[in-house]
Amino acid sequence: MEKRQDIALGLIFVGIGIAAAWMARGYSGASGTYPMVLGVILALFGGAVSIKAARSGRTEVRKLIDAPGHFFTTALIATAYVALVVPLGFYTASVLLMLALPLALGFRRLGYALIVALVFMALIYLVFSVLLEKPLPREAILSILGAGA
């Protein structure tokens, strides 16, 4: 059973990756390169999961979700994150996600989580705004402060 679950999951990722790469072809200019590359990478990793599962001899049954409480907590926080990106901005919502999720799942070293969140957001800024020259949308609080000045 475990073997079939992994093969199916890998093939789902292959399908999603191919679909994402195919859709990215329609984006104008160079803006399709990044999602196309991510789609191809997802498809390759999905293929690797399926091939590895097909080659393995494992057949034991396993639970689909080991910790349902954590799964639903994560789904709820992820939904809140998606809802908060537009009103708060990508960086603010992402830092909140990176603090709320570990805390909700039992990680109690808030200082460590804050440092990781800030370093990760700095890396995201450097990759998108500096390296790719594709800045993410401006933070809502900066727009409000800028409008009042």
Side-chain angles (χ1 to χ4, degrees):
M1 186 69 163
E2 177 178 329
K3 185 178 190 174
R4 287 187 305 189
Q5 289 172 333
D6 289 346
I7 292 171
L9 182 64
L11 292 176
I12 288 169
F13 284 139
V14 168
I16 292 170
I18 290 171
W22 186 264
M23 289 173 52
R25 289 179 42 242
Y27 295 167
S28 63
S31 62
T33 304
Y34 184 71
M36 185 181 294
V37 168
L38 289 180
V40 169
I41 290 171
L42 181 62
L44 290 173
F45 279 133
V49 167
S50 291
I51 290 168
K52 182 178 178 186
R55 287 183 166 181
S56 87
R58 304 177 111 190
T59 58
E60 65 266 4
V61 177
R62 69 172 189 235
K63 292 183 202 175
L64 184 58
I65 301 172
D66 287 329
H70 285 170
F71 173 79
F72 290 113
T73 298
T74 301
L76 180 67
I77 291 173
T79 302
Y81 168 71
V82 170
L84 291 173
V85 168
V86 172
L88 295 181
F90 174 79
Y91 294 106
T92 303
S94 296
V95 167
L96 290 175
L97 168 79
M98 293 179 73
L99 295 176
L101 190 57
L103 247 144
L105 297 178
F107 187 74
R108 297 291 177 245
R109 296 176 64 190
L110 188 58
Y112 179 74
L114 181 61
I115 290 169
V116 169
L118 293 175
V119 168
F120 185 72
M121 286 299 104
L123 287 172
I124 293 293
Y125 173 80
L126 289 172
V127 167
F128 283 95
S129 295
V130 177
L131 183 66
L132 297 175
E133 296 178 353
K134 300 284 183 193
L136 294 166
R138 190 172 179 187
E139 294 295 292
I141 191 71
L142 295 176
S143 298
I144 293 169
L145 293 174

